[in-house]
Amino acid sequence: MSVLETAPGPARRAWHSSPAVRLGALGVLVCAVACADLFAGRGVTGDGVRAVLLGGGDPMAEHIVLQLRLPRLLVALVAGASLGVAGLVLQSALRNPLAGPEVTGVTPGAVLGAVAATGLGLAGWDSPAAVVVAACLGGFAGAGLLWLLAGREKGDPEQTAVYGVLVSAVLAGLTAVVLLVAPGELGSVVQWLIGSTEGRVWQHWHLLWPWAAVWGAAAWLLAAPLTLLRCGDEQASAAGLDPGRGRAAALVCAVALTAGAVSAVGALGFVGLLVPHLALAVFGADLRNTLPGAALLGASVVCGADAAAQLLSRLLATALDADRLTLPVGALTTFVGAGLLLVVARRRADER
């Protein structure tokens, strides 16, 4: 018996409420973690942030809040939403609960594209437009390699997962080779390898949100085909859907969303892998509701992790007497995500 089944009547009614109510509750959660992220940074106290938001404050505080913290917050929200949707699209299209962007070659390919473009001098952390293009090319190359190895039909989820891990490992190795060839670029690309929201400015936001909006809308329009693909190729074909074309369109959306997120914040581990499972648990198999839910959950996870990373950075800097010490948000998501994945794996093993 689950916790929800033994919960009091009001709790059960809240859980089984309409999807609109659940989306509204997640919207409130996103607002809460956004406020926490805005107040979590260093350099300006909570009173200083409130003063700036109310139209006051000194010029330095105004610059930090409006030109540094606010775009960082917005980029974290949209990047998290993109990864949440991309993970759900991948898992649905490939019918594989382990088909997150991190283990299907999409994220490693996008990172390789960004790192290679930086090493060749074609892009940089301060030129987000060029990075988006390079990350997209790398992401599509990684997904294409998986597509060739696993076959067009993708009929075996376990085989697809094995090939995905193989492709991701190869792409990670190529990234290491690029760093060996151009070691001087290590400092500028380490943020893509780990995942960080440091230094995000309005230029990154202005490039990221239209990209995420277009591809997120495209993913939502594919909700019905994706729901059919989750049921299997035979059921999808019986309903009049071409599984190959539907899967190809879904992969294009997933790669584009992942590449946009990677170009802005780097590789945030386990977000695209675990958020879809939580979204499916909350909203069920109807992807018309679950895709927006995954976007809100991904946004709240990344933004909340960014707030926690900033608070931990402050604590560690005080404890170690290192003012410039910063904990990357990608390190936190990877650490927590790995722990959650281990817990889930052990529970499933015990159930068997």
Side-chain angles (χ1 to χ4, degrees), residues 116-247:
T118 302
L120 294 174
L122 302 176
W125 192 253
D126 57 348
S127 56
V131 174
V132 169
V133 175
C136 280
L137 292 176
F140 280 113
L145 183 57
L146 174 63
W147 187 267
L148 291 175
L149 288 176
R152 287 179 57 86
E153 297 302 324
K154 309 295 181 297
D156 188 348
E158 292 184 359
Q159 186 181 45
T160 302
V162 172
Y163 281 128
V165 173
L166 176 62
V167 169
S168 298
V170 170
L171 294 174
L174 291 175
T175 302
V177 171
V178 172
L179 292 178
L180 289 175
V181 174
E185 302 296 335
L186 179 61
S188 61
V189 303
V190 70
Q191 298 181 80
W192 281 308
L193 299 176
I194 300 175
S196 175
T197 54
E198 286 287 330
R200 303 304 86 208
V201 294
W202 287 112
Q203 185 182 5
H204 299 89
W205 162 250
H206 293 320
L207 284 169
L208 179 60
W209 80 260
W211 180 270
V214 169
W215 290 108
W220 188 81
L221 291 175
L222 290 172
L226 285 170
T227 302
L228 291 174
L229 288 175
R230 288 182 62 85
C231 299
D233 288 1
E234 292 183 1
Q235 290 83 347
S237 298
L241 174 68
D242 185 334
R245 291 183 179 180
R247 188 171 288 115

Side-chain angles (χ1 to χ4, degrees), residues 1-9 11-12:
M1 184 175 294
S2 67
V3 175
L4 290 173
E5 291 173 346
T6 60
R12 289 200 305 272

